Amino acid sequence: RRRRHATRGDARRGGTMAGSIGYAERLSWRDDVGGTLGTPEFEEADDAELQRKIDALAELIRESRAKSGGMVVHTGAGISTSIGIPDFRGPNGVWTAQKRGAPMPEAKCTLDTAVPSLTHMALVELRKHGYVRYLVSCNVDCLHLRSGFPREDLAELHGNCFAERCERCAKEYIRDFEMSTVGFEYTGRTCDKCGAFAEEQKNKRKRGCSSDSRDSFAPRRSSRASASRSQVARLRDQVLDWDDALPPDELRSAEKHSRETCLSLVLGSSLQITPSCDIPLLTVRKRKGKRGKLVIVNLQETPKDRMATMLVRAKTDVVMAGVMRRLGLTVPEYVRYDRVAVGARLSGTPADPERRTFAVRVGSSHGWDNPVPWLEGVSFSICD
């Protein structure tokens, strides 16, 4: 049985708060998180005007596919609020509550059970049809990857609470449980790829062989690091703390695509954290005699509003649902697939069947000693 949603009583599990609140708790403490907090939210007062703006946005998206191979989308915490994950700078946001000394907002789900929003799923379909060339996200909730958006077309500028990376070969692992640290700390796990290669080389030395070939890596389940292997291929979390630099490769890709596209679409971001907030502006800076266009969909005002071609004060799910209808596309249904490792052991002797014991063990597919926070219980039956 999969745990579905966090209730008020279990929003804190295992000492970790749910959702964005838990992520905020793990960051280094800062009294001043920069920018403005708690500014009022507005929605378009005239529905006809909102529909006109959605019409115009759909046309800009069509144009971007024809002229520059699709738009670049920049997402913030506002695209996840509809599924119960609090934002940070809204009137009821995490940083806003911290500044006021107020109770933290209630999370309606934990990150490990969170389901991608309509906006997440719409972006997957838009990318499939060539309307999105690249996605730049400041969210750490893993929901873009969970929705099925391709990793190679995604820049996670502030990291991912479910990711860890090998410090030696840079292989990234996406888990179904959150990392307990931030700031690129060691997680206590090791790299399967490097571990397999080291084992291969060790076996070759035993056989009196030597080779520099690195083509073959046998799959192995990640486990807690032994002293010897941890020196070879340790994994680090992939969540930025306040003073950490943005991942350089993903930052370069985000800037490159933002320069080359004719449309940047900002969804659910207050555009206040530098340098990520400046990346959409690369689209509207004049180059080769032309300027691209910037559309911002956000309930609050942002410091970049004056640079925008169009501002839409509405919830991102409402806007994206309208865009999909106008483009003749259907928002795909999200289907979640989970994996567990199952082990079984039969003890006793056939001569005494009444005293035989059948034991079943269920654990994480990422290694027996790793958590399975989304799993509530398991039941099984034995057929005659």
Side-chain angles (χ1 to χ4, degrees), residues 49-225:
E49 176 66 9
L50 173 60
Q51 298 307 316
R52 185 195 67 78
K53 290 184 175 182
I54 296 175
D55 286 341
L57 175 57
E59 190 56 39
L60 289 174
I61 292 173
R62 287 193 186 96
E63 184 181 279
S64 74
R65 184 175 70 167
K67 290 185 175 181
S68 58
M71 63 179 168
V72 174
V73 181
H74 305 260
T75 62
I79 72 167
S80 298
T81 55
S82 64
I83 59 174
I85 299 177
D87 61 20
F88 293 94
R89 297 177 180 274
N92 300 307
V94 175
W95 303 140
T96 305
Q98 174 184 301
K99 187 71 173 179
R100 294 172 178 169
M104 285 293 172
E106 180 182 350
K108 296 180 181 178
C109 66
T110 57
L111 290 189
D112 52 73
T113 60
V115 174
S117 67
L118 182 148
T119 297
H120 287 98
M121 300 309 298
L123 293 175
V124 173
E125 191 71 3
L126 288 169
R127 185 262 175 194
K128 177 181 176 182
H129 289 272
Y131 291 108
V132 175
R133 63 180 285 167
Y134 203 69
L135 175 57
V136 183
S137 182
C138 292
N139 297 338
V140 298
D141 53 25
C142 199
L143 288 176
H144 282 305
L145 291 179
R146 199 173 294 170
S147 71
F149 202 93
R151 184 66 178 95
E152 63 270 18
D153 295 328
L154 169 66
E156 294 184 309
L157 294 183
H158 293 174
N160 185 326
C161 284
F162 292 82
E164 51 189 339
R165 189 183 298 274
C166 177
E167 64 178 354
R168 183 171 187 176
C169 73
K171 178 177 172 61
E172 183 179 58
Y173 294 85
I174 304 298
R175 308 299 191 185
D176 55 9
F177 54 88
E178 286 187 71
M179 301 299 107
S180 60
T181 58
V182 300
F184 304 101
E185 297 290 333
Y186 289 118
T187 64
R189 284 172 288 273
T190 58
C191 177
D192 298 342
K193 180 179 177 181
C194 290
F197 176 75
E199 189 70 24
E200 179 186 352
Q201 296 304 301
K202 179 180 177 181
N203 291 336
K204 285 182 178 180
R205 285 194 296 272
K206 285 182 177 179
R207 295 193 302 266
C209 302
S210 63
S211 173
D212 292 331
S213 172
R214 295 174 180 248
D215 294 334
S216 174
F217 297 103
R220 291 181 57 172
R221 183 174 299 145
S222 175
S223 61
R224 292 288 169 180

Side-chain angles (χ1 to χ4, degrees), residues 72-75 264-269 271 280 294-298 316:
V72 174
V73 181
H74 305 260
T75 62
S264 270
L265 173 61
V266 175
L267 297 173
S269 174
L271 295 174
L294 171 63
V295 176
I296 300 175
V297 181
N298 198 54
T316 61

